[in-house]
Amino acid sequence: MCGIVGYVGKRSACDILVSGLRRLEYRGYDSAGVALLTQGGGLEVVKQTGKVAALEARLSETVAAEARAGACAGIAHTRWATHGLPTEANAHPHLADGGRLALVHNGIIENYAALRRQLEARGCVFVSQTDTEVLAHLVATFDAGDLLAAVSQALKRVEGTYGVAVVSTRYPGQLVVARRGSPLVIGLGEGETIVASDVSAIVSHTRQVVYLQDGDVARVAAGGAQIYTLDQAVVDREVSCVEWEIGAAEKSGYEHFMLKEIFEQPAALQNAIRGRLDPVLGTALLSGLNLGPRELASIRRLVIVACGTSLHAGMVGKYLFEGLADMPTDPEQAAEFRYCNPILGADDLVVAISQSGETADTLAAVREGIQKGALVAGLCNVVGSTIAREAGRGVYLHAGPEIGVASTKAFTAQVTVLLMMALKLGRCRRLSREAGLTLCEEIAALPGKVEAVLAQNDAIAAVAAKYAGAENAFFIGRGILYPTALEGALKLKEISYIHAEGYQAAELKHGPIALLDERMPVIALLNDIPGKEKTLGNVQECRARRAPVLGLVTEDDEEAARMVCDTIRLPRTSAYTAPVVTAVALQLLSYHVARLRGCEIDQPRNLAKSVTVE
Ligand code: AGP
């Protein structure tokens, strides 16, 4: 996803902008650019396809060191192409007003074609295929001596989503920023102000931040920022303090962010669990839900809305809520949900699961749930994210920043939080105190169980070497292990580019088995929980077609181990916590396969960490 950084203050803007873009690289991008307001009143703009390193080299080649050092304000951008190819012409910033104004933008201007025609009729000349350039020219046409007013007037005519930052040589020492549907954060430093699309580009400079909300527009100067509505009414936003350390957003000696975050999972789960288990009543304490026992007991159905890995966590949640709380639960792909005119009522609880809290389809699903009068809760990792705020209630994962595009610790934290929610709901219904206490103990033991899986890392790497040459793979599981199989297939797919599919184990004989031969490995989830024997039968069907089978088996289950070609050993768990330990093993398997295939693990091709566009 695109990234924005802006700076105004007493230091060299160029260095701060480029280092800020580096902090945002994990979001996925294909080009980058910088616009600097120079001391001489000019505007230096450099854009480059490829990585931030290429942009930095181009800056050194084309902008004199003195000009770079003297520029104390500017904006920068990493672009993930939505309109137009990833070319230098389409890279941001985009210019207008004869090269005096520069603008960067995250989001999609849906009425850009009509606006472009109107602007061309007024003589504007376009040099790119982007919707963003339209916005730059639109701002320039409204400039009558106040940049914030010009941006506001332009944005009133825009349909779609935006996070924008604008500079102009007519207004030295000033940025104007605005947001609708694409996050922007303002960092308040000592005599300097930094703006970014996420806090990881700010936190090394200041912890005092203001999260802009939809409809906000702000004038930013070295001394701080003033926020308004698009109608110029003053808006008062609270200043928050960022809790986590910048080190949390660095690799800390690991080869990849993904590997670091896989190994962070014991700590991430401890953070997710901390203070949320009640050892007396055998329930979970989730105050952020703002729902007491009577309100929880009156809920008749859960609808879970999410995308990708978060949807897989929601599908695991179905088994948890229905198994522990007798609660009918419907996991829905958020984009499908938002457009299907969902049937919802006041006694439905919509649970939106989103690591980033910014996924456009999930945010739209939240808004549809609110519109239909349902209760809505968010399960997010990023504090202050749009989904977390608009849901109005929910549970934060506290898993720490997840930088690797492939989600790992967020998934296991999501499942663990869903397990605690199911425990809480169950204890408002038929789940006994004794059963609740037993589950509390099992949840509390999860970090240690995950440690046991991580201790298998070398063994898993050795197994990965046997399967790294595959071009296709099946992942099969039953019951709660079916969405776990889907998640395992997604992990392998997105970082190793192997075509991997997840299936209900029983589904193989209804068609997919036609593809089985010695070139089609099958990863079978054979945890020693109900359904294992049936899945072993499916394993036999696979072996009979010469398909190599890698079995994820419970550590002391020799019966299952004998029936597969290779094994990954898992700690013994109940069905409810099996997805957590199994997912960690599948994450390591995918990681090592991708590493052996020489893939770009933290920023896989075509992917973005947060899909803030439809
Ligand atoms: C998971 O590895 C992917 N990065 C992707 O499927 C992701 O889970 C999905 O885009 C949802 O993101 P969110 O949790 O931030 O909403």
Side-chain angles (χ1 to χ4, degrees):
M1 216 70 286
C2 305
I4 289 176
V5 185
Y7 177 81
V8 55
K10 52 190 182 300
R11 292 190 285 160
S12 157
C14 189
D15 297 341
I16 291 167
L17 293 171
V18 172
S19 62
L21 291 185
R22 286 193 183 286
R23 294 253 184 245
L24 300 181
E25 285 193 286
Y26 74 89
R27 299 162 64 96
Y29 67 102
D30 43 54
S31 58
V34 173
L36 298 170
L37 284 177
T38 61
Q39 269 187 325
L43 188 66
E44 288 281 1
V45 178
V46 177
K47 308 198 278 190
Q48 178 67 43
T49 54
K51 297 302 183 187
V52 171
L55 173 69
E56 197 166 16
R58 188 79 177 276
L59 270 163
S60 302
E61 291 160 11
T62 58
V63 180
E66 188 182 351
R68 290 202 310 273
C72 296
I75 54 178
H77 187 262
T78 49
R79 177 178 182 248
W80 186 68
T82 55
H83 292 71
L85 296 173
T87 62
E88 189 174 316
N90 288 335
H92 303 197
H94 285 285
L95 304 182
D97 189 13
R100 298 180 189 86
L101 180 147
L103 178 145
V104 295
H105 164 237
N106 287 355
I108 289 182
I109 309 296
E110 295 183 355
N111 61 333
Y112 82 99
L115 291 171
R116 179 167 174 147
R117 284 193 296 274
Q118 293 166 21
L119 290 162
E120 284 174 329
R122 298 177 55 163
C124 290
V125 176
F126 287 84
V127 297
S128 82
Q129 306 158 285
T130 67
D131 55 338
T132 302
E133 189 183 4
V134 171
L135 190 52
H137 285 293
L138 195 59
V139 171
T141 58
F142 284 105
D143 187 355
D146 179 335
L147 186 57
L148 183 130
V151 172
S152 302
Q153 288 305 315
L155 293 176
K156 283 181 174 180
R157 286 155 179 78
V158 157
E159 294 166 17
T161 58
Y162 57 78
V164 292
V166 189
V167 290
S168 167
T169 58
R170 298 176 190 272
Y171 307 94
Q174 182 184 143
L175 316 179
V176 171
V177 297
R179 74 152 280 173
R180 183 203 297 158
S182 191
L184 272 183
V185 188
I186 298 176
L188 305 172
E190 292 296 321
E192 61 184 19
T193 310
I194 301 105
V195 175
S197 32
D198 88 36
V199 77
S200 58
I202 294 174
V203 71
S204 59
H205 305 293
T206 176
R207 292 179 178 287
Q208 301 306 307
V209 297
V210 175
Y211 294 94
L212 287 187
Q213 298 196 20
D214 284 355
D216 287 356
V217 59
R219 180 180 289 113
V220 177
Q226 181 53 59
I227 304 171
Y228 304 86
T229 66
L230 293 184
D231 293 322
Q232 315 299 290
V234 174
V235 171
D236 186 20
R237 291 276 176 246
E238 121 187 58
V239 179
S240 307
C241 180
V242 178
E243 293 169 359
W244 46 268
E245 297 297 328
I246 186 58
E250 292 172 343
K251 289 182 188 173
S252 309
Y254 286 90
E255 187 179 354
H256 296 101
F257 278 114
M258 183 179 177
L259 188 61
K260 175 189 171 209
E261 288 148 15
I262 289 172
F263 276 83
E264 280 178 337
Q265 289 180 103
L269 295 187
Q270 281 164 349
N271 291 340
I273 295 165
R274 185 171 295 114
R276 291 173 164 172
L277 295 176
D278 181 332
V280 177
L281 293 175
T283 185
L285 306 169
L286 303 172
S287 55
L289 285 176
N290 292 328
L291 294 170
R294 285 186 63 82
E295 295 159 298
L296 287 169
S298 64
I299 293 168
R300 287 287 158 264
R301 179 177 68 132
L302 290 188
V303 179
I304 297 176
V305 293
C307 301
T309 284
S310 297
L311 176 59
H312 296 153
M315 293 169 72
V316 169
K318 174 181 176 66
Y319 294 91
L320 303 176
F321 287 115
E322 293 188 351
L324 290 167
D326 300 321
M327 175 65 72
T329 302
D330 299 321
E332 300 276 359
Q333 204 282 340
E336 293 295 313
F337 176 86
R338 68 180 289 193
Y339 288 120
C340 75
N341 188 20
I343 300 170
L344 288 174
D347 50 13
D348 291 334
L349 173 62
V350 174
V351 178
I353 305 176
S354 176
Q355 187 285 130
S356 63
E358 301 298 346
T359 298
D361 286 328
T362 309
L363 175 58
V366 164
R367 291 172 175 167
E368 183 68 9
I370 292 169
Q371 176 59 38
K372 296 266 181 172
L375 281 169
V376 179
L379 254 61
C380 299
N381 192 35
V382 177
V383 175
S385 56
T386 305
I387 288 172
R389 280 186 292 101
E390 293 204 11
R393 60 163 48 85
V395 186
Y396 279 122
L397 303 183
H398 297 314
E402 187 176 70
I403 308 300
V405 167
S407 188
T408 50
K409 63 179 182 175
F411 175 77
T412 51
Q414 286 164 348
V415 171
T416 301
V417 167
L418 288 166
L419 185 52
M420 290 190 287
M421 283 180 69
L423 167 62
K424 185 177 186 64
L425 263 174
R427 290 284 291 119
C428 297
R429 303 158 78 92
R430 295 293 305 129
L431 195 67
S432 72
R433 178 174 171 277
E434 292 66 28
L437 287 171
T438 301
L439 192 57
C440 284
E441 287 170 12
E442 186 168 352
I443 294 168
L446 261 179
K449 299 276 187 180
V450 169
E451 289 283 9
V453 179
L454 296 173
Q456 303 283 327
N457 183 43
D458 293 343
I460 294 171
V463 167
K466 299 175 73 173
Y467 294 87
E471 286 312 307
N472 300 283
F474 281 179
F475 287 69
I476 63 171
R478 269 176 196 270
I480 202 167
L481 294 176
Y482 163 55
T484 312
L486 292 178
E487 174 55 16
L490 177 61
K491 283 288 97 52
L492 186 65
K493 214 187 316 235
E494 65 179 334
I495 63 172
S496 73
Y497 312 147
I498 291 173
H499 179 209
E501 296 302 326
Y503 286 104
Q504 300 94 336
E507 186 61 14
L508 285 190
K509 54 187 173 295
H510 298 285
I513 201 168
L515 292 181
L516 290 191
D517 59 25
E518 64 282 359
R519 293 165 300 160
M520 176 66 85
V522 176
I523 291 81
L525 307 191
L526 292 164
N527 311 55
D528 193 10
I529 61 175
K532 179 197 79 171
E533 297 305 328
K534 297 290 186 189
T535 305
L536 281 172
N538 304 124
V539 165
Q540 295 293 75
E541 293 161 7
C542 298
R543 298 294 310 276
R545 277 91 186 159
R546 301 191 308 283
V549 178
L550 164 58
L552 277 73
V553 303
T554 297
E555 56 206 357
D556 54 0
D557 185 351
E558 294 313 319
E559 177 209 12
R562 278 194 296 275
M563 298 173 79
V564 297
C565 306
D566 299 285
T567 57
I568 292 175
R569 300 286 181 157
L570 299 174
R572 181 167 293 281
T573 68
S574 78
Y576 295 128
T577 52
V580 171
V581 298
T582 308
V584 174
L586 293 172
Q587 291 162 6
L588 284 172
L589 175 68
S590 299
Y591 173 81
H592 289 300
V593 167
R595 186 175 50 79
L596 290 166
R597 291 168 69 99
C599 295
E600 169 61 64
I601 289 174
D602 283 334
Q603 297 166 35
R605 65 186 181 200
N606 307 336
L607 294 186
K609 183 58 182 172
S610 176
V611 185
T612 55
V613 296
E614 275 199 67

